[in-house]
Amino acid sequence: MSEAGGGRGCGSSVPQRAPWSLVAATAAFCLVSATSVWTAGAAPMSREERQKLGNQVLEMFDHAYGNYMEHAYPADELMPLTCRGRVRGQEPSRGDVDDALGKFSLTLIDSLDTLVVLNKTKEFEDAVRKVLRDVNLDNDVVVSVFETNIRVLGGLLGGHSLAIMLKEKGEYMQWYNDELLQMAKQLGYKLLPAFNTTSGLPYPRINLKFGVRKPEARTGTETDTCTACAGTLILEFAALSRFTGATIFEEYARKALDFLWEKRQRSSNLVGVTINIHTGDWVRKDSGVGAGIDSYYEYLLKAYVLLGDDSFLERFNTHYDAIMRYISQPPLLLDVHIHKPMLNARTWMDALLAFFPGLQVLKGDIRPAIETHEMLYQVIKKHNFLPEAFTTDFRVHWAQHPLRPEFAESTYFLYKATGDPYYLEVGKTLIENLNKYARVPCGFAAMKDVRTGSHEDRMDSFFLAEMFKYLYLLFADKEDIIFDIEDYIFTTEAHLLPLWLSTTNQSISKKNTTSEYTELDDSNFDWTCPNTQILFPNDPLYAQSIREPLKNVVDKSCPRGIIRVREESFRSGAKPPLRARDFMATNPEHLEILKKMGVSLIHLKDGRVQLVQHAIQAASSIDAEDGLRFMQEMIELSSQQQKEQQLPPRAVQIVSHPFFGRVVLTAGPAQFGLDLSKHKETRGFVASSKPYNGCSELTNPEAVMGKIALIQRGQCMFAEKARNIQNAGAIGGIVIDDNEGSSSDTAPLFQMAGDGKDTDDIKIPMLFLFSKEGSIILDAIREYEEVEVLLSDKAKDRDPEMENEEQPSSENDSQNQSAEQITSSSQEVDLVDQESPEESFLNSQPESSSPADTDNAASVSASEQNSNPMENHETTSLDGECTDLDNQLQEQSETEEDSSPNVSWGKKVQPIDSILADWNEDIEAFEMMEKDEL
């Protein structure tokens, strides 16, 4: 989530305070120059096509916004699958996600300035009137301070900024008298009690009516907050102070930023993910640019842009130097430990880091921005959307995609900085994918699993606040926008704040204390605005030359720098570190290497084996690093092998009118019947069986003959239900949960088990739907009578012949590949329901629990009873199919290995697939080493 004005896209550093008109003008000139370089060597998209795509974005916004207003308002958000509003307390809790909802018409407030950017001024005026008439900020509800600030306070301030702009133009909003600003001020005062801590860092949550720590507030007992939560306040709070003259808001936000800066790790200049708001101790000591930290860095740079305080720029540049030194491993951005920044803290990345290329454009560092953006685009081309998390070898780690806008944001900024039409084509792909895979009759639905194409019943407010802004601005010409976008800065939620605030109500004069903490590298301050000949050195194909090596990075090769290696040691003849995929417990040399790395192999009395690492027992700090990396790889390897024993989720896609394949429901698989991953999908109309539980011979065989039977869960075994509907002539079956209100959004998926007998006689496919998803089909039957569905392993292309609108018919090449198995940290594949023998669980959500380890030791255990995991196993090792090290290193590694990776463990040694069976796939036990010493 970055800043919008294209002019800031190439400014880097201004060592001395400058009037904003001069800074903005200089930056804008730099951007124009960059654009002229690119258009000289690239085939531009025609104005007609850009206008067509811009109009398409407008239509998509109308579809999302119109359905929210029709079916959800005044609720906070739209539930696009069930066409109703999401009201806090009336739907099953989703945990922290619901903390953004405060019964204050969130989506409407978040969309205010989007309406103006999209030239919908009349709709904007109507929306402002609705906010003033209907929205109440005094609700007895506990909300996130961070989300309420960026979405609601930011939305009110962005709406106010454009309302006064329109009023000055003389046509619209002539009645407006700062009413939105007064609401923002009211909300600001409601958030201030959260800052009542010894550190000045705010509590993560607050009750809008009762504040913090009162008995009726139901909050105020938290001790931790994320760095971004405390460090993403300065733009909105400072703007509120500058607009109103009440300095208290900017003072509180500055104090929080000052405290975070003081608590950074001094040797690495990195900050952790979560911090104790009372003591200032880091709770999670891993550091990256994604979730938990992202917008802290963004707001340091933008606070300088908006407020002109040099200390913010100096802090950002200090952090940025550390990011590029430790976290950036082009094209990847991998979390590290703040005290040991040469140690990777994880081997996966989250989707929120997609904002970072846009921030690098604002910084003026174009090359790494192009590299990371291209890597992300390759992941999107494989999965249609960016998964919430993916591994360093580009496998899906968390499969959800809540329609996040960060990648669209970075695409916009890279286009503004380079003028390269390539980024217009990227934006066109985003539009096509949204319409093809996320669009449903009542809006746009988040993806529950990017591999199957199944939907989740949510459309977050940020989708309207950000996605449509960036996509429209990407294709718009200057004359298409009714105001000068260069006069504003975008917040992390893409709300617009005017740059003239930098010279308004400057009552806060703060000494620059940054240099008291660190000796800054002067190279960070070389450029006010970099010369375009440096950014794009006489080569109109400069960006293309950077992207080209990454074209096949996802499918065919591994990028360099995925794992930090001791290249100097390798060149001097030392052996490369032992990799988990190569480890043989019967190899004495391997056991000796483990000992050197501080890793012990322990045989337990119950027949299990433990791998334990004590970093302090390693021969050297480098060996300790190798040992930690080995343990991380073991965790990933074990987790992947556990997943391969599970059946992935399936999809139920409604293909009849008026759905046309737009609604995709996540379904649980069965361990019997037709395997949809190996056979063609099953398509047919649905019919309810009688009896509905399907536990006896059907009394309505003529109704289900040749159709897909709907059956209710309960009273008998799944296999018995399947046999009864199959005998009646059904071509498939859908079992609907009898637990009213159950949903795949809040519960693990079911994997239907057999009855302990031979089930080879069952030839039809069987899928399981929770009550909420099943109700969607039942409601459709009541309304449309004839409902046709598609049972498949993943969602299929929609039928263009049945739709009135044209949809792209081609899929990415990756659509032809089988769906990857679902990511799960479940420690057992099949957990039998004790109350009913008919089902077993398949956990579809990775859990984030991380057992503490007071001895700073990493422990893993294994079972002897599993088969050899090495056979026919596609390893998660990062260099399994590529040679990202020197050829000499590869040859050396090959000559040193005495056996194939497909090795046998022997009878008395445990297989790898059960090592770490009692551990989650995440390695936060290592990240959170309490003493944090090797």
Side-chain angles (χ1 to χ4, degrees):
M1 301 180 183
S2 283
E3 177 258 274
R8 271 76 62 198
C10 71
S12 174
S13 315
V14 182
Q16 298 180 354
R17 178 73 177 273
W20 249 111
S21 58
L22 176 59
V23 175
T26 306
F29 170 78
C30 184
L31 186 64
V32 170
S33 299
T35 303
S36 64
V37 170
W38 278 109
T39 54
M45 182 180 288
S46 68
R47 176 174 172 79
E48 290 74 18
E49 186 173 2
R50 284 189 285 111
Q51 286 182 330
K52 179 181 177 181
L53 290 168
N55 291 334
Q56 196 170 356
V57 173
L58 294 176
E59 185 278 329
M60 293 166 65
F61 174 82
D62 289 341
H63 180 66
Y65 181 75
N67 275 285
Y68 165 75
M69 296 304 297
E70 179 180 353
H71 298 292
Y73 181 79
D76 282 317
E77 290 180 343
L78 170 68
M79 300 173 68
L81 297 183
T82 51
C83 297
R84 69 179 193 270
R86 184 181 296 279
V87 180
R88 187 92 172 262
Q90 295 184 12
E91 301 293 336
S93 174
R94 301 176 298 170
D96 293 347
V97 176
D98 284 339
D99 288 343
L101 311 180
K103 299 182 179 179
F104 36 38
S105 301
L106 175 63
T107 298
L108 181 62
I109 292 177
D110 224 0
S111 303
L112 287 177
D113 50 10
T114 303
L115 290 165
V116 182
V117 172
L118 273 55
N119 202 13
K120 297 179 178 295
T121 48
K122 184 179 183 304
E123 291 87 342
F124 171 73
E125 191 159 3
D126 292 341
V128 172
R129 292 184 186 275
K130 284 184 172 67
V131 169
L132 300 180
R133 183 190 68 203
D134 300 336
V135 173
N136 177 22
L137 298 175
D138 196 40
N139 300 311
D140 180 12
V141 59
V142 176
V143 297
S144 161
V145 173
F146 167 76
E147 296 289 356
T148 304
N149 172 65
I150 65 171
R151 300 202 205 188
V152 185
L153 183 58
L156 293 171
L157 292 173
H160 170 70
S161 299
L162 297 188
I164 59 178
M165 178 274 298
L166 290 172
K167 184 176 182 179
E168 290 176 359
K169 286 181 175 291
E171 183 177 357
Y172 294 95
M173 304 298 294
Q174 296 306 299
W175 54 270
Y176 182 72
N177 191 29
D178 294 351
E179 289 88 350
L180 291 177
L181 180 60
Q182 295 310 311
M183 288 186 68
K185 187 175 181 180
Q186 177 192 359
L187 180 60
Y189 278 117
K190 285 184 172 296
L191 295 179
L192 282 184
F195 292 84
N196 188 21
T197 62
T198 55
S199 66
L201 299 178
Y203 283 96
R205 299 174 185 86
I206 193 167
N207 187 299
L208 289 175
K209 189 176 184 68
F210 298 109
V212 182
R213 302 190 68 173
K214 295 180 181 178
E216 58 268 36
R218 306 185 304 282
T219 188
T221 59
E222 304 94 340
T223 59
D224 306 334
T225 192
C226 73
T227 299
C229 300
T232 311
L233 300 160
I234 187 64
L235 292 188
E236 292 83 1
F237 272 49
L240 184 57
S241 288
R242 303 295 176 98
F243 272 129
T244 64
T247 61
I248 187 171
F249 304 108
E250 186 172 343
E251 290 170 355
Y252 274 60
R254 281 180 177 266
K255 184 178 179 182
L257 274 181
D258 290 346
F259 190 83
L260 289 173
W261 171 251
E262 291 175 4
K263 291 299 179 179
R264 78 195 185 284
Q265 210 292 319
R266 300 302 175 89
S267 62
S268 67
N269 283 321
L270 294 172
V271 292
V273 174
T274 55
I275 189 171
N276 186 297
I277 59 177
H278 303 297
T279 66
D281 294 332
W282 291 110
V283 179
R284 280 188 54 188
K285 301 171 185 178
D286 47 319
S287 184
V289 296
I293 303 180
D294 49 0
S295 49
Y296 163 68
Y297 294 132
E298 177 186 358
Y299 268 38
L300 282 178
L301 183 55
K302 291 183 179 180
Y304 168 71
V305 173
L306 183 64
L307 307 177
D309 188 330
D310 293 351
S311 66
F312 292 130
L313 178 64
E314 295 174 5
R315 294 178 190 183
F316 172 80
N317 277 312
T318 301
H319 284 313
Y320 187 78
D321 178 73
I323 291 169
M324 300 309 291
R325 187 185 305 271
Y326 304 119
I327 296 171
S328 176
Q329 302 174 43
L332 308 183
L333 294 162
L334 293 178
D335 287 15
V336 299
H337 300 275
I338 59 175
H339 290 89
K340 298 291 181 181
M342 297 305 294
L343 287 180
N344 289 334
R346 59 174 57 141
T347 57
W348 50 270
M349 296 164 281
D350 65 75
L352 284 171
L353 62 77
F355 91 101
F356 197 67
L359 189 64
Q360 289 179 306
V361 170
L362 177 61
K363 159 71 177 173
D365 200 359
I366 303 295
R367 184 183 186 92
I370 293 172
E371 291 175 334
T372 299
H373 179 275
E374 182 62 24
M375 177 270 294
L376 295 171
Y377 185 44
Q378 296 301 319
V379 175
I380 289 174
K381 289 203 292 186
K382 180 175 182 179
H383 299 293
N384 300 317
F385 298 98
L386 195 63
E388 274 294 81
F390 55 94
T391 63
T392 51
D393 56 351
F394 308 108
R395 295 174 182 268
V396 172
H397 188 68
W398 296 335
Q400 308 95 321
H401 174 74
L403 305 182
R404 293 199 183 277
E406 286 78 14
F407 181 78
E409 170 190 357
S410 289
T411 301
Y412 165 66
F413 288 119
L414 275 168
Y415 176 66
K416 295 297 289 184
T418 66
D420 188 347
Y422 176 83
Y423 296 108
L424 297 178
E425 296 296 334
V426 173
K428 181 179 179 181
T429 299
L430 298 182
I431 291 174
E432 291 173 348
N433 287 351
L434 285 171
N435 277 321
K436 190 174 182 180
Y437 301 110
R439 187 167 181 145
V440 295
C442 283
F444 291 84
M447 307 306 295
K448 186 174 183 63
D449 192 314
V450 298
R451 297 163 298 188
T452 65
S454 58
H455 290 137
E456 190 174 355
D457 200 5
R458 63 185 285 195
M459 187 179 78
D460 292 82
S461 68
F462 55 69
F463 182 60
L464 285 85
E466 300 183 68
M467 180 69 80
F468 295 113
K469 265 198 197 91
Y470 290 125
L471 288 178
Y472 183 74
L473 289 171
L474 178 64
F475 298 105
D477 292 323
K478 189 172 183 178
E479 55 268 24
D480 295 329
I481 307 171
I482 62 174
F483 62 99
D484 191 353
I485 198 75
E486 305 293 340
D487 292 337
Y488 296 82
I489 187 173
F490 275 2
T491 68
T492 196
E493 190 78 3
H495 292 307
L496 290 159
L497 299 176
L499 291 176
W500 53 258
L501 288 175
S502 63
T503 57
T504 303
N505 290 323
Q506 295 182 1
S507 57
I508 297 179
S509 176
K510 190 165 182 65
K511 177 185 176 184
N512 180 358
T513 57
T514 300
S515 55
E516 295 179 8
Y517 307 127
T518 184
E519 183 176 341
L520 296 174
D521 181 358
D522 289 341
S523 65
N524 281 319
F525 305 93
D526 285 345
W527 294 343
T528 298
C529 181
N531 188 303
T532 55
Q533 296 305 309
I534 298 176
L535 290 179
F536 320 106
N538 299 314
D539 183 2
L541 300 179
Y542 175 70
Q544 180 180 339
S545 68
I546 297 174
R547 292 191 301 262
E548 195 61 34
L550 303 171
K551 286 294 185 182
N552 299 315
V553 69
V554 171
D555 293 321
K556 297 182 180 178
S557 63
C558 299
R560 294 183 60 86
I562 290 181
I563 296 180
R564 300 183 186 278
V565 295
R566 295 168 289 144
E567 296 184 0
E568 295 82 0
S569 299
F570 297 163
R571 284 193 292 267
S572 63
K575 294 182 179 180
L578 177 64
R579 307 300 298 274
R581 69 181 180 90
D582 300 327
F583 174 65
M584 297 171 57
T586 56
N587 187 326
E589 183 181 356
H590 287 184
L591 296 178
E592 186 63 29
I593 294 175
L594 290 189
K595 183 178 179 181
K596 188 177 180 183
M597 296 189 298
V599 179
S600 303
L601 186 68
I602 303 173
H603 294 267
L604 303 179
K605 294 180 180 180
D606 59 5
R608 294 184 304 155
V609 166
Q610 274 190 336
L611 285 177
V612 182
Q613 190 213 19
H614 293 273
I616 57 175
Q617 296 179 4
S620 68
S621 60
I622 292 179
D623 290 316
E625 292 182 21
D626 291 340
L628 181 56
R629 185 178 298 114
F630 175 84
M631 299 294 283
Q632 293 171 356
E633 290 180 0
M634 275 293 193
I635 293 172
E636 294 290 333
L637 187 60
S638 174
S639 174
Q640 180 64 29
Q641 291 167 354
Q642 287 180 14
K643 292 176 223 169
E644 291 181 354
Q645 298 173 12
Q646 301 168 351
L647 292 176
R650 307 302 188 203
V652 175
Q653 190 170 9
I654 307 179
V655 296
S656 55
H657 173 84
F659 304 97
F660 302 121
R662 294 185 184 280
V663 175
V664 183
L665 307 175
T666 300
Q671 296 176 349
F672 53 85
L674 184 70
D675 186 349
L676 291 170
S677 67
K678 299 179 181 178
H679 298 84
K680 187 177 180 181
E681 67 274 2
T682 298
R683 179 170 179 161
F685 290 93
V686 295
S688 296
S689 62
K690 293 182 181 180
Y692 190 30
N693 59 33
C695 291
S696 60
E697 183 179 352
L698 266 59
T699 61
N700 64 334
E702 70 286 347
V704 301
M705 175 73 72
K707 296 183 179 180
I708 296 172
L710 301 179
I711 329 159
Q712 187 177 48
R713 172 191 171 195
Q715 301 184 31
C716 66
M717 307 292 284
F718 284 131
E720 183 178 350
K721 298 175 188 287
R723 290 187 180 99
N724 287 331
I725 63 172
Q726 179 176 271
N727 292 338
I731 61 173
I734 298 176
V735 178
I736 298 177
D737 193 9
D738 60 347
N739 181 16
E740 186 175 355
S742 64
S743 168
S744 64
D745 293 343
T746 56
L749 288 179
F750 273 111
Q751 177 172 292
M752 295 186 289
D755 54 5
K757 305 174 184 177
D758 186 2
T759 55
D760 289 345
D761 59 314
I762 301 176
K763 306 298 184 183
I764 61 175
M766 296 289 294
L767 296 181
F768 178 90
L769 290 179
F770 281 107
S771 172
K772 178 181 173 182
E773 286 78 12
S775 296
I776 294 175
I777 294 182
L778 296 175
D779 291 344
I781 293 176
R782 283 190 286 270
E783 185 166 355
Y784 302 106
E785 295 185 1
E786 294 290 320
V787 176
E788 189 178 15
V789 301
L790 186 73
L791 310 184
S792 61
D793 62 333
K794 62 190 301 185
K796 307 300 179 184
D797 271 348
R798 296 163 186 164
D799 189 349
E801 296 180 359
M802 299 181 66
E803 295 190 72
N804 293 326
E805 61 184 279
E806 289 187 11
Q807 293 290 350
S809 60
S810 62
E811 289 185 318
N812 292 330
D813 293 340
S814 61
Q815 286 295 99
N816 296 323
Q817 302 172 0
S818 61
E820 293 184 43
Q821 295 182 335
I822 189 163
T823 300
S824 169
S825 60
S826 175
Q827 296 172 8
E828 298 182 25
V829 178
D830 297 319
L831 303 178
V832 179
D833 189 339
Q834 296 178 357
E835 297 181 359
S836 173
E838 68 179 0
E839 67 258 350
S840 59
F841 285 115
L842 170 62
N843 191 346
S844 67
Q845 297 286 348
E847 298 176 357
S848 58
S849 60
S850 49
D853 187 350
T854 57
D855 294 327
N856 295 335
S859 171
V860 296
S861 56
S863 169
E864 284 187 326
Q865 300 175 359
N866 294 326
S867 60
N868 181 6
M870 290 299 188
E871 296 177 359
N872 299 323
H873 173 64
E874 183 178 358
T875 178
T876 58
S877 180
L878 302 181
D879 60 354
E881 296 182 2
C882 66
T883 56
D884 70 333
L885 303 179
D886 295 335
N887 292 334
Q888 178 182 0
L889 171 60
Q890 180 65 26
E891 294 170 0
Q892 178 184 4
S893 175
E894 292 173 354
T895 57
E896 288 171 351
E897 294 176 355
D898 296 328
S899 61
S900 166
N902 296 330
V903 297
S904 174
W905 276 74
K907 297 180 179 180
K908 296 184 179 181
V909 185
Q910 277 60 34
I912 292 179
D913 71 329
S914 59
I915 290 179
L916 301 173
D918 297 326
W919 281 67
N920 291 306
E921 62 185 2
D922 295 338
I923 57 171
E924 292 182 356
F926 301 131
E927 305 168 15
M928 299 170 59
M929 294 185 293
E930 294 299 327
K931 298 178 182 178
D932 210 16
E933 294 178 356
L934 292 178

